[in-house]
């Protein structure tokens, strides 16, 4: 899912799963821990904050870096989910 990071709206992708993370962040982008991450998909409520940037990592042979996504809730404690179409 396309997302944006921080006040400069750095583009990236949300990768879901049991431990969601943010990928495809340009290495030259200035992002910091606790920058907000918000949705940037036309199919979802644009600008909805879904979490914050955690630790980042990068591979020397790649042009991109990735980051942990700090969620404001525990996935294990979710009991109801609203699916938006």
């Amino acid at each position: 899912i396309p997302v944006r990071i921080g006040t400069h709206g750095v583009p990236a992708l949300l990768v879901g799963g049991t431990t969601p993370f943010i990928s495809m962040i340009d290495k030259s982008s200035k992002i910091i821990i606790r920058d907000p991450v918000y949705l940037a998909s036309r199919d979802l409520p644009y600008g909805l904050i879904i979490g914050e940037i955690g630790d980042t990592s990068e591979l020397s042979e790649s042009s991109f870096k990735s980051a942990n996504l700090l969620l404001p809730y525990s996935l294990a404690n979710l009991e109801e989910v609203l699916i938006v179409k």
Side-chain angles (χ1 to χ4, degrees):
I1 297 173
V3 295
R4 302 280 184 201
I5 303 168
T7 57
H8 297 293
V10 175
L13 290 176
L14 168 64
V15 178
T18 55
T19 307
F21 66 97
I22 306 300
S23 69
M24 303 292 291
I25 305 166
D26 189 314
K27 270 190 181 177
S28 64
S29 300
K30 303 295 183 205
I31 62 169
I32 59 172
I33 292 176
R34 298 287 181 189
D35 267 349
V37 177
Y38 55 94
L39 296 176
S41 171
R42 285 190 244 169
D43 301 324
L44 298 168
Y46 188 90
L48 179 67
I49 294 177
I50 58 169
E52 297 176 333
I53 290 294
D55 294 330
T56 62
S57 61
E58 55 185 74
L59 299 172
S60 58
E61 65 273 2
S62 175
S63 299
F64 299 99
K65 56 187 169 184
S66 61
N68 292 328
L69 178 63
L70 304 175
L71 299 172
Y73 51 84
S74 169
L75 289 175
N77 293 333
L78 286 180
E79 294 180 10
E80 293 183 36
V81 176
L82 172 66
I83 298 174
V84 180
K85 283 186 148 188

